[in-house]
Amino acid sequence: MTPGMALSYRYEPIPADRGAVRGIVESTGFFSEEEADVAVELVDERLAKGLASGYEFVFAESDGRMLGYACYGPIPATRESFDLYWIATDKRLQGQGIGRAILAECERLLAERGGGRMYLDTSGRAQYVPTHGFYERNGYRREAVLRDFFAPGDDKVIYLKLVPPA
C-alpha cells in the first residue's frame, strides 16, 4: 500500500456500494458487463436479505473511499466450506497489497468462526495468469481445472485454501 495510506474495513453494504462495486469491477478490465451486473446483484441480495442472503462482504476503504472489496459466503449444503465469490481492487491501486489485505481479512473472519475451506474459481485464460499467481502467493492451491467451462478455450480453475480456526 502507498506509504501513509490507512486501510480500514467495513462489512455491511450500503446502497452507495452498488456503484462503487460496479466501478471497481469495471476498472479491472477483466469482467464483462454481465459479470459486473452479477457483482452488483450480490450487493443487492445482501441489502435485501441481510446475512440470510449467504453473502458476506469486506470493503477496504481509505479516507471514505472504497479501494477494493471481497464477497464470500458459506456454500449451501456443506460443512465448513466457503466460496470467495468476488475480490477486486481498483485498477489504479493494484499491486499495492490491498487485495492481499482484503483476502487476509476474509480468512481472519473465517478463522474466527471456526475455520474451514475457502474455495474460489477463476478463468483459465492467459489474461488471468497474474491472478493465478496472486492466489498461489497467498497460499491457495490449484484444486481442479474444468476444461472449456466458461466457453471453448476458457477453463474454470478452482483454488482451495484450508483456513484453521483462530
Side-chain angles (χ1 to χ4, degrees):
M1 287 180 288
T2 304
M5 182 186 299
L7 197 60
S8 62
Y9 299 110
R10 181 170 51 83
Y11 309 100
E12 289 297 325
I14 58 174
D17 292 334
R18 299 177 80 253
V21 162
R22 178 176 294 280
I24 287 170
V25 167
E26 289 177 347
S27 80
T28 68
F30 276 54
F31 303 105
S32 68
E33 185 175 337
E34 181 182 14
E35 289 169 317
D37 289 345
V38 169
V40 174
E41 286 172 14
L42 301 186
V43 174
D44 288 340
E45 280 289 305
R46 175 59 188 264
L47 288 169
K49 298 179 181 174
L51 283 175
S53 69
Y55 301 120
E56 301 183 32
F57 287 86
V58 173
F59 300 102
E61 300 178 327
S62 181
D63 295 324
R65 179 174 160 244
M66 189 188 303
L67 308 179
Y69 85 103
C71 176
Y72 69 99
I75 300 172
T78 68
R79 290 185 48 179
E80 300 175 358
S81 292
F82 292 76
D83 258 329
L84 180 67
Y85 297 110
W86 284 92
I87 184 167
T89 302
D90 186 299
K91 174 75 172 175
R92 297 165 295 191
L93 301 169
Q94 289 178 356
Q96 297 184 30
I98 296 167
R100 183 175 61 246
I102 294 168
L103 190 57
E105 181 66 3
C106 292
E107 293 166 5
R108 183 190 70 76
L109 294 168
L110 178 54
E112 278 187 357
R113 64 195 295 173
R117 293 168 302 281
M118 183 73 85
Y119 291 90
L120 60 91
D121 59 77
T122 189
S123 172
R125 292 186 319 224
Q127 171 185 10
Y128 284 83
V129 168
T131 304
H132 300 169
F134 168 77
Y135 293 131
E136 291 164 6
R137 285 189 305 277
N138 284 284
Y140 286 76
R141 73 172 187 258
R142 188 177 295 216
E143 194 69 8
V145 176
L146 306 179
R147 302 281 175 219
D148 300 321
F149 182 87
F150 295 111
D154 189 0
D155 302 338
K156 178 178 185 173
V157 182
I158 301 170
Y159 284 89
L160 166 66
K161 183 173 185 178
L162 301 177
V163 179

